[in-house]
Amino acid sequence: MELEELGRRIYSTAHLTGEFVLRSGQTTDEYFDKYRFEADPVLLDAIAEAMVRLVPAGTEVLAGLEMGGIPVVTALARHTGLPCAFVRKQAKPYGTRRLAEGAETAGRRVTIVEDVVTTGGQIVLSTTELRALGAEITDALCVINRNPDTPAPLTTAGLTLHALLTTEDLTPTV
């Protein structure tokens, strides 16, 4: 599927208007409900297929962030053959007590996978924690970057963001 068509499909599936508070605390009147495109298996598969080209060479593990990054990373792993890790916002005090479940990240080149990015705050937090556990992280991928550029917190953290789409790429079906 062409990127322009993919943007139209995501828009028609996930675009909402109203008043929404983002994780960053910002308020917006336009929102992309990522769960709507992640819950559509055909659309999610097309998104993952388009994201393959964004995966940096040398990536050993794809790490999806809780919660929206989990379906994206799972679909992307199917297309790349790379193992994936599922990164919690904080390690559970029971079971394995791990921050990242699934593939081992310590000592490996890890690429973070997220759904929608506004400021990149959760990517920075998770990257800091994974690096402290031995992961090598220089890149992050997302389906939608709400900004025309990489948010400053990501750059400051030494991360390059590879976005499949920006909000400018998401247009209504005509």
Side-chain angles (χ1 to χ4, degrees):
M1 179 180 307
E2 295 293 323
L3 208 50
E4 187 175 316
E5 174 61 22
L6 190 57
R8 280 195 293 271
R9 295 248 336 263
I10 290 171
Y11 186 96
S12 68
T13 301
H15 182 258
L16 303 175
T17 57
E19 186 174 321
F20 304 94
V21 178
L22 305 176
R23 181 192 175 282
S24 64
Q26 296 174 19
T27 303
T28 182
D29 60 358
E30 183 178 50
Y31 185 73
F32 288 94
D33 185 347
K34 59 201 171 217
Y35 300 114
R36 290 185 177 197
F37 67 73
E38 292 171 351
D40 179 330
V42 174
L43 182 53
L44 181 60
D45 189 62
I47 289 167
E49 184 177 19
M51 288 181 76
V52 169
R53 65 178 177 77
L54 301 177
V55 177
T59 297
E60 296 175 287
V61 176
L62 298 169
L65 303 186
E66 180 186 352
M67 175 163 131
I70 302 298
V72 177
V73 79
T74 302
L76 184 56
R78 286 188 57 245
H79 284 275
T80 62
L82 291 168
C84 53
F86 310 112
V87 183
R88 299 179 186 279
K89 289 188 175 133
Q90 63 182 180
K92 298 263 185 186
Y94 57 85
T96 64
R97 298 182 181 155
R98 293 172 48 112
L99 177 68
E101 302 286 357
E104 182 60 53
T105 60
R108 298 176 87 183
R109 182 149 179 211
V110 176
T111 296
I112 300 292
V113 179
E114 184 62 298
D115 47 17
V116 179
V117 171
T118 302
T119 64
Q122 189 58 51
I123 292 174
V124 171
L125 291 172
S126 295
T127 294
T128 300
E129 292 176 329
L130 289 169
R131 284 174 174 164
L133 296 171
E136 299 169 29
I137 305 172
T138 58
D139 296 274
L141 312 178
C142 68
V143 178
I144 302 169
N145 179 3
R146 292 180 57 93
N147 309 280
D149 301 309
T150 298
L154 296 176
T155 304
T156 301
L159 293 167
T160 300
L161 180 64
H162 309 274
L164 181 63
L165 302 163
T166 65
T167 51
E168 288 79 28
D169 299 317
L170 302 170
T171 56
T173 305
V174 180

